[in-house]
Amino acid sequence: MHTNDFYLGLSCILVALIVKKESEIMEQFTTKIELPPELSKAIKAAVVNAINEAKDTSTNVPTYMSKKQAAKYLGVAPNTLDMWIRDGEDVPYKQIGRTYRFNRNDLDKFMATK
């Protein structure tokens, strides 16, 4: 669930950057039209909120997680995560004795390939 929030926030940032770059390119070929101040403020506020939510989501999740935290982060049941590990699904983890640790960044890369 947190991964989806992260990607939603990242998508908002990317859209804002694309719109900004597109407007810079289009400025060469078009007449500039000013948005009403209240609309401009509303758009800026929405983008800032999306960025802040994305930041909050990523900082609320520790860099290294237990098996239970990792399963919750991935949005799967702990039994599913156990099955993936047992079946050799290339889930990135470190095992120290009987303790498993999962790196958040590695889990994001893993899920991007699924």
Side-chain angles (χ1 to χ4, degrees), residues 58-102:
S58 66
T59 57
N60 288 339
V61 179
T63 302
Y64 293 96
M65 296 176 268
S66 67
K67 194 183 287 187
K68 182 178 178 181
Q69 290 170 315
K72 183 177 179 182
Y73 180 73
L74 295 171
V76 299
N79 289 341
T80 300
L81 185 56
D82 285 333
M83 183 181 66
W84 288 353
I85 293 169
R86 185 181 60 247
D87 294 347
E89 289 288 331
D90 295 325
V91 177
Y93 67 91
K94 301 286 184 204
Q95 185 173 1
I96 304 163
R98 296 185 327 192
T99 303
Y100 290 80
R101 288 292 174 251
F102 300 83

Side-chain angles (χ1 to χ4, degrees), residues 4-18:
N4 291 340
D5 293 341
F6 171 77
Y7 287 120
L8 176 62
L10 186 59
S11 296
C12 290
I13 293 168
L14 290 174
V15 166
L17 291 173
I18 290 167

Side-chain angles (χ1 to χ4, degrees), residues 27-78:
E27 203 170 308
Q28 301 169 8
F29 305 104
T30 61
T31 304
K32 187 173 182 179
I33 299 173
E34 296 277 333
L35 292 175
E38 54 277 350
L39 180 58
S40 181
K41 285 180 184 177
I43 292 170
K44 287 177 184 175
V47 170
V48 168
N49 285 340
I51 291 169
N52 289 335
E53 286 179 18
K55 285 181 187 176
D56 290 344
T57 300
S58 66
T59 57
N60 288 339
V61 179
T63 302
Y64 293 96
M65 296 176 268
S66 67
K67 194 183 287 187
K68 182 178 178 181
Q69 290 170 315
K72 183 177 179 182
Y73 180 73
L74 295 171
V76 299

